[in-house]
Amino acid sequence: MQVLTRNLLFFAAAAIVVRAAFYSISGFIADDAFITFRYVENIANGLGFVYNAGQHVLGTSSPLYTLLLTIPALLGLDVPNASIAISIIASGITAILIYRLTLLYGFKRFAWMPVVFYILWPRSVVAETCGMETSLFTLLAIGSFYAYRVRRPQLTLLLAAFAAICRPEGMLIGIVVLPGLIQEWKWGLSRYLILPALILAAWGGFSLSYFGTIIPNSIPAKLALYGQIDGDGFFARLEVLLALYSPFGWLAALLAAAGIAVAVKDDCLPRPETSWLALMLAFFMLSGTHIFFWYFVPVYPVFLFLVFVSVRKIVESIAVLRTPSYLAGLVTGIATTAVLTFALALSADSYALEQNWMEHLHKNVGLYLAEHVSAGEVVAAEDIGYMGYYSRSTILDRDGLVSPEAIPYNRSGDYLQLIRDLRPDWVVANSKSPISQFIYDIDFDELYELRERFRARPFEYRVYHLVSDSL
């Protein structure tokens, strides 16, 4: 077996094993993932691309991932487990592409470093095993850049088009690769644009006719919701995106910045990829919405490559001091692997605790609703992933992701008025949530009675039912 093939298989297997082990320990699935899972199962059951039956709202930010998961759903497979399996396999393929890309960038001896960083990087591992579309989006992005590097314009644009359907910010990939493609292929590029354009047009046409828009409802919903309750400033957003709340995050950010300077000096900067990193950073910094840790994870392979450029320079400097470069690289690799493995173990324990909260709160609320909510009744809730998936009830999403009618109330900050106007049969509220403080209002007490509490320190969810004489 050739050395390259052996290395590729090793890195793919390592990425898969690490992520499978992490998930087996943490068992963590993000609440938002279950919003997509409910869409998937409704499609598979013949209800259409809907969260609530009969309501054509594009409440998922990843239509491509939703449609992909419909395949195992139609085969009768468990959707959450299928999602984890697809994500882990996609990560293994991404590891192969990262290694190949690093070789194409001209780094031979230490080309293993960026892929090892990726395999063990805690944020990447968590985001790619939590049921979200992150792993698929990362694969499409890195795949597009790899196709660009090997001069496959058709594949580059196809993967960029699929990335745009996978996540709204995927459109940035096409923006950064098009100038280089136009420069190289000029007018001949037009024939490669036809198929990607048809794919985007097909999705856009379906989305317009079915949902009335091509923009996921989650975008205006999050802008309205977090515009009121999220006071994050510029540096707070940057802190979350780059994990600057930890010394390790600061070290990685500084090394990446230094890596850009070194790569520019050595004329080895991957410009489309680095431009994508910069645009993604600007996109989330200026978006005005709350930042979740998985948003920036697809960019980490590029980010970690820039970190590696700095590390490689340090290793070469050590080699100048009469230390063999292979020995310096080996010591650096062992130290990096040890530190990342330790951080990953801590992260697994932390997310296992968070999953325990999810089970005791969100899932148990959903199971309670499944048992007590009658057909035709409406449940107003926030954090509707687990609750909606396990309850199978008609949900009025107070966050607005799948319920556009909630957006004006969230924009004005009048959360109780939504309840007054629409009078849902049930209300689920997080007692500490900024949008649920109306539960302490006397007007709410006159409308609803407390039926159940679900506690898992420091959190509590309360379930209320509409008082019959308030109708």
Side-chain angles (χ1 to χ4, degrees):
M1 183 183 293
Q2 294 182 351
V3 174
L4 176 59
T5 302
R6 185 175 66 245
N7 289 345
L8 293 176
L9 291 175
F10 171 78
F11 290 132
I16 289 171
V17 169
V18 166
R19 281 153 177 75
F22 182 90
Y23 179 71
S24 69
I25 295 171
S26 71
F28 176 68
I29 300 182
D31 189 71
D32 282 11
F34 280 91
I35 298 177
T36 297
F37 298 162
R38 177 156 156 163
Y39 271 100
V40 168
E41 294 193 0
N42 282 341
I43 295 172
N45 291 329
L47 297 177
F49 202 136
V50 296
Y51 183 88
N52 289 318
Q55 299 178 13
H56 291 199
V57 179
L58 183 57
T60 173
S61 298
S62 183
L64 180 67
Y65 195 57
T66 304
L67 295 172
L68 176 62
L69 282 177
T70 301
I71 298 173
L74 289 170
L75 295 174
L77 301 177
D78 179 79
V79 173
N81 286 338
S83 176
I84 299 301
I86 290 171
S87 294
I88 290 175
I89 293 170
S91 297
I93 300 172
T94 299
I96 290 174
L97 294 177
I98 292 172
Y99 184 65
R100 280 192 166 276
L101 267 173
T102 307
L103 292 174
L104 290 173
Y105 294 151
F107 295 92
K108 305 294 184 184
R109 183 177 297 173
F110 301 124
W112 53 269
M113 282 189 178
V115 69
V116 169
F117 274 39
Y118 164 74
I119 289 169
L120 295 173
W121 196 254
R123 273 201 173 188
S124 292
V125 175
V126 175
E128 293 179 357
T129 57
C130 71
M132 302 291 287
E133 68 279 355
T134 309
S135 186
L136 176 63
F137 183 54
T138 304
L139 173 59
L140 292 171
I142 300 305
S144 183
F145 290 125
Y146 176 74
Y148 177 87
R149 290 290 167 187
V150 296
R151 302 180 74 250
R152 297 283 299 276
Q154 179 79 86
L155 185 58
T156 301
L157 294 169
L158 275 174
L159 293 174
F162 284 126
I165 302 174
C166 189
R167 290 284 309 176
E169 60 270 28
M171 63 181 180
L172 298 176
I173 298 171
I175 291 174
V176 299
V177 298
L178 264 177
L181 292 175
I182 292 172
Q183 183 178 13
E184 180 172 0
W185 299 92
K186 298 181 174 57
W187 293 108
L189 184 64
S190 58
R191 68 180 183 273
Y192 299 123
L193 285 167
I194 295 173
L195 185 55
L198 287 174
I199 291 171
L200 290 173
W203 167 251
F206 169 78
S207 186
L208 277 173
S209 63
Y210 195 84
F211 302 111
T213 179
I214 60 172
I215 300 173
N217 185 68
S218 55
I219 294 178
K222 289 179 180 179
L223 290 175
L225 178 66
Y226 296 117
Q228 288 292 326
I229 67 174
D230 186 32
D232 290 352
F234 181 88
F235 289 105
R237 292 176 183 278
L238 191 64
E239 181 182 61
V240 174
L241 286 170
L242 298 182
L244 299 181
Y245 42 73
S246 75
F248 200 66
W250 271 103
L251 176 62
L254 292 173
L255 287 172
I260 293 175
V262 171
V264 169
K265 181 180 178 181
D266 294 347
D267 195 27
C268 62
L269 183 71
R271 297 189 184 280
E273 296 90 327
T274 307
S275 297
W276 181 55
L277 188 156
L279 284 175
M280 286 282 280
L281 193 60
F283 178 85
F284 289 119
M285 292 295 294
L286 301 174
S287 66
T289 188
H290 181 72
I291 303 297
F292 291 96
F293 75 88
W294 57 76
Y295 284 179
F296 201 60
V297 165
V299 189
Y300 271 121
V302 178
F303 179 81
L304 294 175
F305 170 76
L306 296 172
V307 170
F308 153 72
V309 171
S310 289
V311 172
R312 176 176 176 268
K313 198 71 172 179
I314 293 170
V315 169
E316 289 176 345
S317 299
I318 294 173
V320 171
L321 301 176
R322 299 181 182 275
T323 301
S325 60
Y326 72 87
L327 180 60
L330 180 62
V331 171
T332 302
I334 292 173
T336 299
T337 300
V339 170
L340 289 176
T341 302
F342 177 72
L344 197 54
L346 292 178
S347 184
D349 289 340
S350 175
Y351 278 96
L353 177 60
E354 185 162 346
Q355 182 60 27
N356 186 53
W357 290 337
M358 290 286 186
E359 296 285 337
H360 280 83
L361 291 171
H362 298 236
K363 181 177 178 179
N364 281 344
V365 171
L367 294 173
Y368 175 88
L369 294 172
E371 183 178 348
H372 293 86
V373 175
S374 302
E377 290 189 322
V378 175
V379 179
E382 55 184 320
D383 302 324
I384 63 165
Y386 280 81
M387 295 180 196
Y389 182 82
Y390 285 101
S391 72
R392 303 299 177 186
S393 304
T394 299
I395 299 292
L396 169 61
D397 176 19
R398 294 196 291 113
D399 288 345
L401 304 183
V402 303
S403 301
E405 59 269 36
I407 292 177
Y409 297 95
N410 289 340
R411 189 177 292 120
S412 67
D414 197 349
Y415 311 112
L416 177 56
Q417 194 59 45
L418 171 69
I419 304 301
R420 284 198 192 104
D421 289 348
L422 300 184
R423 295 290 179 92
D425 303 281
W426 297 80
V427 173
V428 180
N430 178 345
S431 62
K432 294 187 177 182
S433 169
I435 71 170
S436 291
Q437 296 309 295
F438 59 76
I439 62 176
Y440 303 109
D441 193 303
I442 190 171
D443 291 342
F444 181 77
D445 283 340
E446 293 176 353
L447 292 172
Y448 290 85
E449 61 180 354
L450 179 64
R451 287 290 185 88
E452 192 61 76
R453 297 173 188 257
F454 294 84
R455 294 189 181 94
R457 292 183 179 180
F459 305 107
E460 179 188 69
Y461 276 87
R462 301 181 184 182
V463 181
Y464 296 86
H465 189 260
L466 184 67
V467 177
S468 58
D469 59 10
S470 67
L471 296 173

